[in-house]
Amino acid sequence: LRDNRIELVRASWHELSISVSDVSLSDEGQYTCSLFTMPVKTSKAFLTVLGVPEKPQITGFTSPVMEGERMQLTCKTSGSKPAADIRWFKNDKEVKDVKYLKEEDAVRKTFTVSSTLDFLADRSDDGAVVSCRVDHESLNSTPQIAMQVLEIHYTPLVKIISSTSWPEEGQSIILTCESKGKPVPEPVLWTKDGGELPDPERMVVNGRVLSISFLNKTDNGTYRCEAKNPIGRNSTEYVLIVHDVFNTLLPTTVIPSLTTATVTTNVALTASTTTSATATSIRDPNALAGQTGPDHALIGGIVAVVVFVTLCSIILLGRYLARHKGTYLTNEAKGAEDAPDADTAIINAEGSQVNAEEKKEYFI
């Protein structure tokens, strides 16, 4: 071996060592060590040299790309031995559907490897990072990577956002037109029912925002927001319906089916009344929020108790008067029917005042 890159490291009767610097593919082959004895003894070894792949390059990208166009990106590397492996990634997510091509250089016994990524450009790919990674055993687990940032142009995407979901008369409403596109869309155009805004004093446009103050029924209609850029234009609509304030029903209180009201009344003959009432307060469903009114259930219960006590008192008094109604005769009046005069009647009366003992009457 006669080469300046080959250096003798150790030489003795038992060992002979050499080193090869700046190894190239031409150094690959069979090496023989001979010991000149009688007979001569030899030992052979085959040296394999790995071909390190060159840094990959991505071709086929033209900026910018219009949405819907087909893109074909090719990643290529050469000089690898054995053939290197190429993998594609989009935003760190591997893409599997690719084409792989391997070509061998017969002279150098190395390989040129290429891979093609084919897809339709979409607005979601705008700003995405596409990377081509080359893996090879000579790289010691440190792959070589080439990257390309995608730039996709697309028509505006338009959306209207309302400040309220229930517009009423007298209120104000703000409609915001969100438009996203590349290049950035021009200022949006607001129209109503296919024409210009009818009341510029109440309908004020500030950039992408439409403000309408003091709403009324004449504001009902379809409002359109249109945005455009050099790629194209797009629009969306919002139907405005102004509601009457008086027809607006606030959420009512749902009364459970098991809700009960109990009124207990105890009446004594002394006309004293003890009343205990337990009632569930029920809100009037037609009452507006924030207004407080009388508890109709409680008032009704009190009126019922008063009527009931009055009726009981009248019935008891009537029964009492009925039992004590009649004609009361004194002892002096007994026997007066057949007497010719008053003196005779007094003498003939039973239990006259002379012989009868004194009696008393009590009115209960």
Side-chain angles (χ1 to χ4, degrees), residues 29-149:
Q30 182 171 279
Y31 288 77
T32 303
C33 173
S34 300
L35 179 62
F36 293 96
T37 58
M38 292 299 293
V40 177
K41 297 179 180 180
T42 61
S43 180
K44 298 181 180 181
F46 190 87
L47 176 64
T48 300
V49 178
L50 298 178
V52 180
E54 298 177 357
K55 186 175 181 178
Q57 293 182 348
I58 297 177
T59 58
F61 178 74
T62 57
S63 181
V65 178
M66 303 302 170
E67 183 180 25
E69 290 185 359
R70 181 169 295 279
M71 296 184 62
Q72 289 185 344
L73 302 181
T74 301
C75 179
K76 185 176 181 180
T77 181
S78 56
S80 61
K81 182 186 175 188
D85 184 28
I86 297 180
R87 301 166 65 187
W88 284 97
F89 293 85
K90 182 187 293 185
N91 289 337
D92 297 329
K93 184 178 181 180
E94 185 173 2
V95 181
K96 295 290 187 179
D97 189 13
V98 296
K99 298 179 181 179
Y100 184 81
L101 180 61
K102 178 176 64 176
E103 298 178 354
E104 184 178 3
D105 185 350
V107 178
R108 301 182 57 191
K109 298 182 179 180
T110 59
F111 294 88
T112 298
V113 181
S114 62
S115 179
T116 301
L117 177 62
D118 190 348
F119 64 98
L120 293 177
D122 186 78
R123 64 182 62 197
S124 61
D125 295 328
D126 183 51
V129 178
V130 175
S131 58
C132 164
R133 191 171 80 178
V134 176
D135 294 307
H136 194 263
E137 52 187 306
S138 64
L139 300 177
N140 297 325
S141 302
T142 305
Q144 293 181 342
I145 300 176
M147 294 186 298
Q148 178 66 59
V149 179

Side-chain angles (χ1 to χ4, degrees), residues 206-226:
N206 185 10
R208 290 177 168 80
V209 178
L210 170 61
S211 302
I212 306 176
S213 58
F214 302 105
L215 290 173
N216 56 65
K217 291 300 182 64
T218 62
D219 297 327
N220 290 343
T222 302
Y223 292 80
R224 177 189 295 270
C225 170
E226 181 180 285

Side-chain angles (χ1 to χ4, degrees), residues 234-250:
N234 201 353
S235 63
T236 187
E237 295 179 346
Y238 175 83
V239 178
L240 175 61
I241 300 177
V242 180
H243 301 272
D244 294 332
V245 177
F246 301 102
N247 293 337
T248 304
L249 295 180
L250 297 179

Side-chain angles (χ1 to χ4, degrees), residues 1-6:
L1 296 176
R2 299 182 181 276
D3 195 312
N4 294 331
R5 296 179 299 108
I6 299 176

Side-chain angles (χ1 to χ4, degrees), residues 152-322:
I152 312 297
H153 284 191
Y154 53 93
T155 56
L157 180 65
V158 186
K159 180 174 64 173
I160 295 179
I161 300 177
S162 173
S163 60
T164 176
S165 59
W166 190 266
E168 298 178 352
E169 285 187 310
Q171 293 183 348
S172 299
I173 189 173
I174 298 176
L175 302 179
T176 303
C177 180
E178 290 188 352
S179 58
K180 181 181 179 182
K182 195 167 185 179
V184 178
E186 301 174 2
V188 299
L189 175 64
W190 282 98
T191 58
K192 179 190 176 185
D193 298 331
E196 296 182 354
L197 299 177
D199 193 347
E201 294 184 358
R202 292 188 304 109
M203 302 177 179
V204 180
V205 177
N206 185 10
R208 290 177 168 80
V209 178
L210 170 61
S211 302
I212 306 176
S213 58
F214 302 105
L215 290 173
N216 56 65
K217 291 300 182 64
T218 62
D219 297 327
N220 290 343
T222 302
Y223 292 80
R224 177 189 295 270
C225 170
E226 181 180 285
K228 64 178 181 178
N229 61 7
I231 308 302
R233 64 178 61 197
N234 201 353
S235 63
T236 187
E237 295 179 346
Y238 175 83
V239 178
L240 175 61
I241 300 177
V242 180
H243 301 272
D244 294 332
V245 177
F246 301 102
N247 293 337
T248 304
L249 295 180
L250 297 179
T252 58
T253 303
V254 179
I255 305 175
S257 60
L258 297 180
T259 301
T260 59
T262 304
V263 178
T264 304
T265 306
N266 296 324
V267 181
L269 291 178
T270 58
S272 62
T273 305
T274 302
T275 304
S276 63
T278 302
T280 301
S281 176
I282 303 175
R283 180 181 298 274
D284 185 359
N286 295 324
L288 295 178
Q291 294 182 351
T292 57
D295 193 329
H296 300 289
L298 182 59
I299 294 176
I302 294 175
V303 173
V305 171
V306 173
V307 172
F308 180 79
V309 172
T310 304
L311 291 177
C312 290
S313 300
I314 294 174
I315 292 172
L316 291 177
L317 183 59
R319 291 186 61 186
Y320 177 80
L321 295 177

